[in-house]
Amino acid sequence: MTSNAVIQMKNVGKSFGTFQALKGINLEVAKGERIVVCGPSGSGKSTMIRCINRLEKHDEGKIIIDGKELTDQVDDINAVRREVGMVFQSFNLFPHMTILKNLMLAQRLVRKTSKAEARDTAMQLLERVKIPEQADKYPIQLSGGQQQRVAIARTLCMKPKIILFDEPTSALDPEMINEVLEVMTDLARYGMTMICVTHEMGFARSVADRVIFMDAGEIVEEAEPKAFFSNPKNDRTKKFLSQILSH
Amino acid sequence: MDILVGWWDDYFWGSVVVAQVFVCSLILMIIFGLIGAAAKLSDNFIAQKLANGYTIVFRGTPEILVILLLYFGSAIALTSIAQIFNPDIKFLDVPPFWAGTIAIALIVGSYATETFRGAFLGVNPGSIEAARALGMSNLQTFIYVRVPEMWRLALPAFGNHMLSLVKDTALISIIGLNETLFVAKQAIGTTGEPFIMYIVVGLIYLGFSTIITLSVMGLERFGQRHLVSSQ
């Protein structure tokens, strides 16, 4: 066990009824590491990262985040969630609040920051994702790419140690994918610990320290991007890569 | 119109009573409805069953019967308690205002329970997940995310509940609340002009329901403000 691992998953299993979504997952992520998770749909990628901030409860094994084990203790879960940001496929902005309020809400309620400070942080991060001029609009008035950038900014407002991305570009029109990937690449450059479920193999190649391939609830293969793409070892990985890279 | 001379101030004070009952029962109705909906949606088996019992009883019995039962039931209970301390007391009741207000709030609250329950189920689960992922507690998520998204969905049906509520105030005249219908009955007793006296009551209630309908329309527009695109 490396001492600087911020995420440790030990033999984690999860079932939905009779369907076993995760089987014996072992994963360690070091501080500042950027992991891309890929695999066919239904392979357990989303379930795995949703277990990390306990949006799903694992029913076997151990998950330790930044030294704290995930249990049923509500206070502990909220403490962990403060440090683990998540960006969703469908953005999940609060529709009844302006962009600025979306960014300020959790800072005020969870971090207990002052109104002025929350506003400053929010505006800085809107600058960083390059849409400060949208601060007073409502989510529905923004394009998908803009909404996803706001969602990333909302997560960053909490100053998390880790950010989980759950297929952040899958719901976007093709011309908006790049603006979101640019923001993510920027984050990676600044040393954010990231786990990213995505099929954007270009992003994986240029940004990831490690690529993980999952199938049927298991981690089938993990390797550095270069080795992963040029020399996959497992037959299932080869098949998957040939399918998504063939066109 | 000469026939109405001398009755206007009675009608006016009757209308004030209607407004007071409406405001008090509206607040109680929202509280009963939210508690009922929260209970029905909770994981707690007993809470679910209690809320089910509540909606079955109050939606399944005539409103006027509930008012009578609540008024006389509470009066009997109060009287027998009071007689323990002072056997000379013959009859003690909850003021008709409060017995009636609570009764109609319970009745309409049972309908509101279903409205709120449906509206809570209509809140985008993604918003709730986002709030949880940001570390917000269940109570914070309820107050800042669930309720603000829920009320917009509940509003059209909720407007109907408010109309029911204001009309149900007329039923409270049966236990002696001096609202407009009660005034009309007295006026008829004196003047022998039922048609005119009841028409006045009808116009007063139409006035109230128009105000409510316009308010709901305004609230709906307010609730949709974030759904209007900027173009």
Side-chain angles (χ1 to χ4, degrees):
Chain A
M1 187 181 84
T2 46
S3 58
N4 62 347
V6 283
I7 301 173
Q8 296 174 51
M9 301 181 88
K10 292 177 188 166
N11 213 15
V12 171
K14 164 79 188 169
S15 302
F16 296 104
T18 56
F19 174 71
Q20 213 178 349
L22 294 178
K23 298 170 204 163
I25 298 285
N26 284 297
L27 177 68
E28 284 201 3
V29 181
K31 190 167 184 305
E33 215 180 351
R34 291 146 300 200
I35 311 272
V36 163
V37 184
C38 60
S41 65
S43 59
K45 316 175 293 278
S46 289
T47 308
M48 182 177 81
I49 66 165
R50 288 164 61 84
C51 281
I52 294 174
N53 65 352
R54 213 168 171 74
L55 286 182
E56 303 288 356
K57 292 178 185 175
H58 59 288
D59 31 44
E60 283 166 41
K62 265 188 181 180
I63 302 177
I64 300 165
I65 308 296
D66 202 21
K68 295 191 195 86
E69 186 176 349
L70 295 186
T71 62
D72 274 327
Q73 292 289 318
V74 178
D75 289 346
D76 293 355
I77 293 163
N78 285 336
V80 167
R81 283 177 178 159
R82 281 200 289 273
E83 310 303 333
V84 182
M86 186 170 222
V87 175
F88 299 87
Q89 181 176 353
S90 47
F91 330 135
N92 294 352
L93 297 175
F94 305 127
H96 58 286
M97 291 179 190
T98 62
I99 300 308
L100 190 61
K101 293 241 172 75
N102 260 280
L103 267 63
M104 289 169 65
L105 183 71
Q107 294 189 68
R108 303 269 289 131
L109 295 176
V110 180
R111 290 277 188 217
K112 313 282 183 204
T113 45
S114 72
K115 203 170 181 178
E117 196 186 330
R119 182 186 296 268
D120 284 350
T121 308
M123 286 313 297
Q124 275 169 24
L125 286 164
L126 283 178
E127 297 271 359
R128 184 158 169 195
V129 300
K130 303 188 183 77
I131 36 176
E133 72 281 2
Q134 310 286 1
D136 294 320
K137 290 196 181 162
Y138 287 99
I140 200 164
Q141 297 167 334
L142 272 58
S143 72
Q146 290 173 325
Q147 286 192 51
Q148 192 61 296
R149 285 187 279 155
V150 171
I152 294 172
R154 179 175 67 177
T155 297
L156 288 174
C157 279
M158 299 299 286
K159 304 191 169 66
K161 294 183 175 144
I162 303 160
I163 300 186
L164 311 169
F165 292 87
D166 190 1
E167 306 208 23
T169 56
S170 301
L172 295 176
D173 293 334
E175 74 271 20
M176 295 171 183
I177 291 177
N178 273 336
E179 64 187 55
V180 172
L181 290 180
E182 270 168 31
V183 170
M184 291 167 63
T185 308
D186 178 62
L187 280 180
R189 202 178 298 133
Y190 283 92
M192 178 61 76
T193 310
M194 299 163 68
I195 300 185
C196 189
V197 174
T198 184
H199 293 137
E200 296 297 330
M201 290 302 129
F203 175 78
R205 239 186 267 261
S206 62
V207 170
D209 297 308
R210 251 193 298 165
V211 181
I212 287 174
F213 174 72
M214 287 182 75
D215 190 22
E218 295 172 307
I219 295 181
V220 174
E221 184 158 352
E222 55 179 296
E224 286 174 20
K226 221 174 183 180
F228 182 85
F229 289 110
S230 59
N231 190 19
K233 304 220 164 29
N234 192 290
D235 284 343
R236 282 189 279 180
T237 318
K238 286 177 194 165
K239 186 164 170 255
F240 176 75
L241 285 175
S242 72
Q243 279 165 346
I244 62 163
L245 297 175
S246 62
H247 50 84
Chain B
M1 286 295 125
D2 289 348
I3 200 96
L4 283 162
V5 170
W7 291 104
W8 286 119
D9 58 332
D10 295 287
Y11 276 119
F12 173 76
W13 291 112
S15 307
V16 171
V17 171
V18 170
Q20 286 171 330
V21 171
F22 174 71
V23 170
C24 295
S25 60
L26 178 65
I27 294 165
L28 287 175
M29 178 264 266
I30 293 172
I31 294 170
F32 294 150
L34 283 177
I35 292 174
K40 283 205 174 192
L41 293 170
S42 81
D43 299 327
N44 188 313
F45 181 77
I46 297 166
Q48 279 177 24
K49 292 292 154 196
L50 281 175
N52 278 338
Y54 166 56
T55 51
I56 288 170
V57 169
F58 285 90
R59 293 200 303 170
T61 47
E63 302 175 358
I64 198 155
L65 188 70
V66 173
I67 294 170
L68 288 168
L69 281 174
L70 211 87
Y71 175 67
F72 287 109
S74 60
I76 291 166
L78 257 187
T79 307
S80 46
I81 292 168
Q83 280 171 344
I84 297 171
F85 302 101
N86 183 355
D88 296 336
I89 290 171
K90 291 281 178 289
F91 185 77
L92 201 64
D93 66 352
V94 177
F97 180 91
W98 285 110
T101 299
I102 292 168
I104 64 174
L106 279 170
I107 295 159
V108 184
S110 66
Y111 291 90
T113 293
E114 294 300 330
T115 301
F116 290 157
R117 189 183 71 93
F120 275 123
L121 290 175
V123 172
N124 174 16
S127 300
I128 297 161
E129 278 198 340
R132 290 168 65 200
L134 287 162
M136 287 164 62
S137 70
N138 285 338
L139 184 65
Q140 289 170 336
T141 306
F142 185 80
I143 295 171
Y144 292 95
V145 179
R146 282 181 196 252
V147 171
E149 286 197 45
M150 174 282 278
W151 78 265
R152 181 170 50 82
L153 300 173
L155 201 53
F158 187 73
N160 285 339
H161 298 330
M162 291 208 282
L163 290 176
S164 300
L165 212 51
V166 79
K167 289 190 288 183
D168 285 358
T169 56
L171 297 173
I172 306 177
S173 63
I174 198 170
I175 52 172
L177 184 75
N178 54 348
E179 50 70 71
T180 51
L181 196 63
F182 191 82
V183 171
K185 282 180 196 158
Q186 288 179 316
I188 292 161
T190 316
T191 61
E193 291 282 357
F195 188 72
I196 291 174
M197 293 304 172
Y198 284 139
I199 281 287
V200 174
V201 176
L203 291 174
I204 290 171
Y205 275 100
L206 263 182
F208 277 114
S209 45
T210 306
I211 294 169
I212 291 168
T213 307
L214 291 175
S215 314
V216 170
M217 281 167 62
L219 279 173
E220 279 187 23
R221 225 173 298 127
F222 176 73
Q224 312 263 326
R225 70 201 183 283
H226 58 277
L227 300 179
V228 182
S229 75
S230 54
Q231 287 87 35

